[in-house]
C-alpha cells in the first residue's frame, strides 16, 4: 500500500516538473485566453444599450461575471489533448507500455492531468487575479459559505467529469483508431451546450430541456450559476447529486471501455 | 545544348495561374480519395457556422439590434455574420492549411525543398494546398447573405446599386488578404521561435476582434470601457487592420448610407496593400534567418 502510494507520488512529481519546463508559454497562453472575454464585454455592452432591464434574468454585470466565472470552471473541466492523446497512443501502439507495466493507464493519466492542472493554477493565478481584480465591480457581493462550498464541490466534480468524459471518448480509439471528427463534434457541442458561449438559461424550450438532460452543462454553466445564485436550495442539492451521478457514470464507462478495448487490442513489433 | 535548354527553362517565368490550378487539382484529387472524410469535414465545419448563427438568433430573440442606434438590426447583422463566414471560409480553404504547414516545414528543415524550386517561395508556401471542404462554409455564407439581403430589400426597403455589388467582392478579397498577411507573418516568426503554438492561438484571438461590428467597441461616457473600446477600435483599424476585413464589405451592403463608409473604404485599400507589403518583408526576413535543420 505504501509502495503504491509512493509510486503515484513520484509520478505526480515527475509530471509536475515536466510541466514547469514550459512555464513562460503557459503564462502567455493564459493571458491570451482572456482576449475573447474582451470582445464579449463589448458585445454585451452594446447589446445592453438597446434593452431596458435584464436579458433572461441577467444584468450586464451578471453577464460579464458569468463569462469570467466560466473561465474558472473551464480551467477545471477542459482537458486539452487528453482524448486525442489517448487515441494517438492506441493508434501508434505506444499504449502497450501501460499494458506491460504494473501501472494503471487511467490512473496515470489522471495524475498527469492533476499535475498539469496544479501547475496551470500556480501560473494562471497571476493573470486570473489581475483580470478578476480589474473586473471586480462586475461581481455581486460574495455568496454565503454554504454556496461557496457547493461551488468548490461543483468545480472539483467538473474536473473529474471533464477528465472521465474525454478519456472515454479517447478510448473509443480502440474501435475507430481515428477519433478526430468525433472529437470535433464533441468540442462543438461542448462549446455551445456547456454554457461557455452564453448562459444556458437564455435558451427557450425545447433546447433548454435537451441541455438540461446532457452532462455538458456541469462543465461550465453549473458552477458559474451556483456562484451567481441562479441555483439555490433544494435544486442546488439535486443538481449536485446529478453531477456526481454523471461523474460516476463516466468513471464506469471509462473503465468498461478500457477493459473491452484492451481485449480487442493487439500490438506488434518493438 | 541540353544545358542551354535548361537555362532557358529556368529563366522562363512560371505561369503562376497554371501552377495554382495544378495545386488546386491535386488537392481536389487528394480530398476525393477520402470522400467520406471530406463530407464529414464539410458537415462539421458547417455545423459550427449553424451553431454560431443559432447564438445570434438567440440574441435577437431578446433584442432588436446590436447596440442602440448602430443600425445593426437582425438582418443587417446577418449580412455582417455572412461576411465574416465568407472571409474566414476563404482564408481557411486557401491559406490556413499552408500556414500551419509552413511552421512545420521550418521546424523539420523541409523548407529547403521549397527554396530550391524555381518559383516565388511565398507563393509556393502559401498556396500549395487547397482545403476544399472549407468551401462548404462559403456556400453557407452566400446562402445566408442572399437570404438576409432579400429580407432587407423586401422588408426594409434597402436599395442597392450595381457599384455596391461590384465593390463587395473586392473588399471581401481585401479582407482575406489582410487576414492572410497576419497569418503568414505569424507563421514566419516560427523561424525565430522554433515552435509557435501560442502564436497560432494568437491569430485566432486577434481575428476574434474582426468578427463584430466596429461600433460595439465603445462605452458610456465617463466609463473606462469607452476609452478602452475606442483605443481597441483604433488599434485594430489602423495598426493591425483586421477590424476592416469584415466591417468594410459588410457596411457596403448592410449600411450603404453611412457617412463613414467612403473614407474607411479608401483607407482599407491602403491598409491591404500595406499589410501585404509588411508580411512579405517579414516572410523574406524570416527566410534570411532560416538555417535548415540537421543534414
Amino acid at each position: 500500500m505504501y509502495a503504491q502510494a509512493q509510486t503515484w507520488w513520484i509520478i505526480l512529481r515527475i509530471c509536475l516538473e515536466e510541466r514547469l519546463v514550459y512555464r513562460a508559454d503557459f503564462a502567455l497562453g493564459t493571458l491570451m485566453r482572456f482576449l475573447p472575454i474582451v470582445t464579449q464585454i463589448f458585445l454585451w455592452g452594446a447589446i445592453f444599450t438597446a434593452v431596458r432591464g435584464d436579458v433572461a434574468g441577467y444584468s450586464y454585470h451578471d453577464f460579464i461575471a458569468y463569462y469570467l466565472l466560466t473561465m474558472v470552471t473551464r480551467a477545471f473541466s477542459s482537458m486539452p489533448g487528453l482524448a486525442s492523446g489517448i487515441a494517438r497512443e492506441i493508434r501508434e501502439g505506444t499504449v502497450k507500455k501501460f499494458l506491460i507495466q504494473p501501472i494503471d493507464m487511467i490512473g496515470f493519466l489522471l495524475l498527469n492531468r492533476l499535475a498539469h492542472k496544479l501547475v496551470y493554477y500556480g501560473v494562471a493565478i497571476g493573470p486570473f487575479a489581475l483580470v478578476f481584480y480589474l473586473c471586480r465591480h462586475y461581481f455581486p457581493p460574495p455568496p454565503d459559505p454554504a454556496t461557496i462550498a457547493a461551488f468548490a464541490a461543483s468545480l472539483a466534480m467538473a474536473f473529474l467529469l471533464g477528465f472521465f468524459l474525454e478519456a472515454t471518448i479517447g478510448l473509443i480509439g480502440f474501435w475507430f483508431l481515428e477519433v478526430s471528427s468525433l472529437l470535433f463534434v464533441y468540442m462543438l457541442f461542448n462549446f455551445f451546450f456547456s454554457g461557455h458561449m452564453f448562459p444556458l438559461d437564455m435558451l427557450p424550450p425545447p433546447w433548454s430541456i435537451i441541455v438540461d438532460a446532457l452532462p455538458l452543462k456541469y462543465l461550465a454553466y453549473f458552477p458559474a450559476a451556483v456562484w451567481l445564485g441562479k441555483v439555490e436550495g433544494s435544486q442546488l442539492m439535486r443538481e449536485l447529486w446529478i453531477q456526481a451521478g454523471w461523474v460516476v457514470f463516466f468513471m464506469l464507462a471509462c473503465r468498461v471501455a478500457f477493459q473491452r478495448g484492451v481485449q480487442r487490442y493487439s500490438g506488434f513489433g518493438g | 545544348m541540353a544545358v542551354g535548354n535548361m537555362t532557358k527553362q529556368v529563366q522562363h517565368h512560371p505561369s503562376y495561374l497554371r501552377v495554382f490550378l495544378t495545386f488546386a487539382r491535386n488537392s481536389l484529387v487528394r480530398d476525393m480519395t477520402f470522400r467520406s472524410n471530406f463530407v464529414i469535414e464539410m458537415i462539421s465545419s458547417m455545423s459550427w457556422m449553424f451553431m454560431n448563427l443559432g447564438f445570434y438568433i438567440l440574441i435577437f430573440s431578446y433584442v432588436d439590434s446590436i447596440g442602440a442606434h448602430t443600425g445593426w438590426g437582425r438582418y443587417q447583422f446577418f449580412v455582417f455574420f455572412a461576411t465574416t463566414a465568407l472571409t474566414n471560409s476563404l482564408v481557411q480553404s486557401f491559406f490556413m492549411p499552408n500556414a500551419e504547414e509552413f511552421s512545420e516545414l521550418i521546424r523539420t528543415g523541409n523548407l529547403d525543398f521549397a527554396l530550391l524550386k524555381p518559383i516565388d517561395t511565398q507563393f509556393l508556401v502559401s498556396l500549395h494546398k487547397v482545403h476544399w471542404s472549407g468551401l462548404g462554409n462559403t456556400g453557407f455564407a452566400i446562402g445566408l447573405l442572399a437570404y438576409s439581403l432579400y429580407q432587407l430589400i423586401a422588408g426594409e426597403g434597402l436599395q442597392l446599386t450595381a457599384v455596391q455589388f461590384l465593390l463587395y467582392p473586392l473588399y471581401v478579397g481585401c479582407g482575406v488578404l489582410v487576414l492572410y498577411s497576419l497569418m503568414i507573418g505569424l507563421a514566419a516568426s516560427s523561424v525565430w521561435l522554433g515552435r509557435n503554438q501560442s502564436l497560432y492561438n494568437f491569430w485566432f484571438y486577434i481575428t476574434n476582434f474582426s468578427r463584430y461590428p466596429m461600433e460595439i467597441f465603445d462605452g458610456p461616457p465617463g466609463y473606462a470601457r469607452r476609452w478602452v473600446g475606442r483605443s481597441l477600435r483604433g488599434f485594430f483599424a489602423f495598426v493591425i487592420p483586421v477590424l476592416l476585413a469584415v466591417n468594410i464589405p459588410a457596411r457596403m451592403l448592410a449600411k450603404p448610407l453611412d457617412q463613414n463608409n467612403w473614407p474607411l473604404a479608401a483607407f482599407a485599400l491602403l491598409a491591404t496593400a500595406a499589410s501585404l507589403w509588411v508580411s512579405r518583408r517579414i516572410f523574406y526576413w524570416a527566410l534570411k534567418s532560416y538555417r535548415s535543420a540537421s543534414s
Side-chain angles (χ1 to χ4, degrees):
Chain A
M1 188 67 196
Y2 174 71
Q4 180 94 13
Q6 211 174 16
T7 312
W8 292 120
W9 173 239
I10 290 172
I11 291 174
L12 184 67
R13 261 182 37 209
I14 292 171
C15 296
L16 276 173
E17 277 164 23
E18 192 181 58
R19 287 290 167 188
L20 278 170
V21 175
Y22 302 106
R23 51 191 175 274
D25 192 53
F26 241 39
L28 190 68
T30 314
L31 253 189
M32 279 201 273
R33 248 172 254 185
F34 284 103
L35 280 179
I37 294 272
V38 175
T39 48
Q40 292 290 350
I41 287 179
F42 285 103
L43 176 67
W44 287 100
I47 289 171
F48 270 91
T49 59
V51 280
R52 297 196 177 280
D54 294 348
V55 170
Y58 286 80
S59 68
Y60 172 59
H61 283 203
D62 288 344
F63 264 106
I64 305 309
Y66 176 83
Y67 280 114
L68 289 169
L69 284 168
T70 56
M71 291 292 291
V72 177
T73 60
R74 300 254 320 152
F76 279 81
S77 69
S78 77
M79 303 284 152
L82 177 64
S84 55
I86 294 176
R88 192 176 53 242
E89 293 215 27
I90 294 169
R91 195 172 54 242
E92 293 176 359
T94 45
V95 70
K96 58 178 171 276
K97 70 173 179 255
F98 293 106
L99 306 181
I100 53 175
Q101 288 170 359
I103 290 176
D104 170 47
M105 179 180 175
I106 299 170
F108 176 81
L109 289 174
L110 183 63
L111 276 179
N112 191 350
R113 199 46 64 158
L114 194 65
H116 177 146
K117 290 291 181 196
L118 287 177
V119 173
Y120 178 72
Y121 304 139
V123 179
I125 190 121
F128 266 92
L130 175 72
V131 173
F132 274 71
Y133 176 75
L134 289 175
C135 297
R136 63 194 179 282
H137 58 279
Y138 288 120
F139 284 86
D144 58 287
T147 312
I148 293 178
F151 174 70
S154 69
L155 277 186
M157 286 196 283
F159 167 74
L160 291 173
L161 181 60
F163 176 81
F164 287 109
L165 208 167
E166 274 219 21
T168 311
I169 294 176
L171 290 169
I172 292 174
F174 274 119
W175 286 267
F176 289 158
L177 289 183
E178 185 53 77
V179 292
S180 56
S181 42
L182 193 69
L183 260 179
F184 186 87
V185 173
Y186 166 71
M187 206 189 71
L188 192 73
F189 275 86
N190 192 349
F191 195 69
F192 284 91
F193 297 129
S194 70
H196 188 193
M197 188 94 178
F198 53 86
L200 294 177
D201 36 6
M202 276 180 83
L203 285 169
W207 300 101
S208 54
I209 298 161
I210 296 170
V211 163
D212 248 359
L214 293 174
L216 294 173
K217 70 168 187 174
Y218 297 103
L219 296 175
Y221 166 76
F222 179 62
V226 169
W227 184 275
L228 291 175
K230 301 280 174 191
V231 195
E232 288 172 315
S234 61
Q235 199 203 345
L236 174 60
M237 284 317 289
R238 205 183 67 225
E239 295 262 9
L240 279 173
W241 278 112
I242 296 174
Q243 190 182 12
W246 278 117
V247 172
V248 173
F249 173 80
F250 279 104
M251 225 184 242
L252 293 174
C254 186
R255 275 285 153 211
V256 171
F258 183 67
Q259 241 130 34
R260 294 271 168 90
V262 168
Q263 278 166 17
R264 269 180 63 90
Y265 179 76
S266 46
F268 303 95
Chain B
M1 186 66 194
V3 173
N5 264 345
M6 246 169 78
T7 332
K8 220 172 168 184
Q9 274 169 7
V10 171
Q11 277 171 350
H12 179 69
H13 283 288
S15 158
Y16 283 86
L17 181 68
R18 271 181 55 200
V19 173
F20 173 68
L21 289 177
T22 313
F23 288 156
R25 204 181 57 223
N26 284 348
S27 309
L28 189 63
V29 169
R30 192 169 36 218
D31 277 347
M32 287 302 123
T33 318
F34 308 102
R35 231 166 279 184
S36 40
N37 182 59
F38 177 81
V39 173
I40 290 173
E41 271 183 9
M42 199 143 136
I43 293 174
S44 49
S45 61
M46 277 172 76
S47 47
W48 180 254
M49 284 294 143
F50 275 104
M51 289 227 181
N52 266 301
L53 182 62
F55 171 59
Y56 294 124
I57 291 175
L58 182 65
I59 288 182
F60 279 107
S61 73
Y62 288 97
V63 294
D64 296 326
S65 71
I66 302 282
H69 318 299
T70 54
W72 293 108
R74 175 188 288 258
Y75 292 109
Q76 285 90 350
F77 187 76
F78 286 173
V79 167
F80 187 94
F81 175 59
T83 311
T84 310
L86 184 61
T87 314
N88 280 292
S89 72
L90 293 174
V91 172
Q92 275 162 10
S93 304
F94 292 105
F95 301 118
M96 183 89 84
N98 299 307
E100 269 170 18
E101 206 172 297
F102 182 43
S103 315
E104 203 55 22
L105 286 178
I106 292 170
R107 203 175 62 82
T108 55
N110 282 333
L111 186 62
D112 299 4
F113 300 109
L115 292 171
L116 286 172
K117 301 221 165 69
I119 197 163
D120 185 82
T121 309
Q122 188 178 0
F123 168 82
L124 180 68
V125 164
S126 306
L127 281 166
H128 81 112
K129 225 185 229 175
V130 177
H131 191 61
W132 284 97
S133 59
L135 293 178
N137 281 350
T138 315
F140 164 88
I142 292 172
L144 179 64
L145 185 69
Y147 172 75
S148 312
L149 282 179
Y150 169 77
Q151 291 290 340
L152 284 175
I153 292 168
E156 301 184 21
L158 177 77
Q159 289 185 337
L160 292 172
T161 60
V163 177
Q164 283 158 311
F165 281 108
L166 287 174
L167 285 179
Y168 182 77
L170 171 75
Y171 278 103
V172 167
C174 286
V176 169
L177 289 177
V178 167
L179 297 183
Y180 157 75
S181 305
L182 180 66
M183 187 188 283
I184 202 77
L186 286 175
S189 68
S190 54
V191 161
W192 298 288
L193 298 169
R195 280 201 90 150
N196 63 348
Q197 208 50 50
S198 293
L199 278 175
Y200 257 109
N201 298 336
F202 202 50
W203 186 83
F204 278 105
Y205 291 143
I206 290 181
T207 54
N208 194 25
F209 285 95
S210 73
R211 286 158 207 254
Y212 298 100
M214 59 207 300
E215 287 88 346
I216 72 164
F217 296 104
D218 205 343
Y223 280 78
R225 220 165 81 217
R226 191 185 187 90
W227 65 262
V228 173
R230 290 184 174 182
S231 320
L232 281 173
R233 197 198 295 185
F235 183 79
F236 287 114
F238 299 110
V239 184
I240 302 178
V242 288
L243 201 51
L244 304 176
V246 178
N247 269 277
I248 303 298
R251 291 165 81 100
M252 287 273 162
L253 290 184
K255 296 171 61 181
L257 297 176
D258 201 299
Q259 302 265 321
N260 289 329
N261 278 358
W262 296 110
L264 274 176
F267 176 73
L269 289 177
L270 194 72
T272 309
S275 309
L276 274 178
W277 183 77
V278 170
S279 75
R280 195 168 169 81
R281 287 300 295 265
I282 293 177
F283 185 88
Y284 277 96
W285 186 30
L287 286 190
K288 270 187 190 156
S289 309
Y290 170 71
R291 284 174 303 164
S292 193
S294 98
S295 50

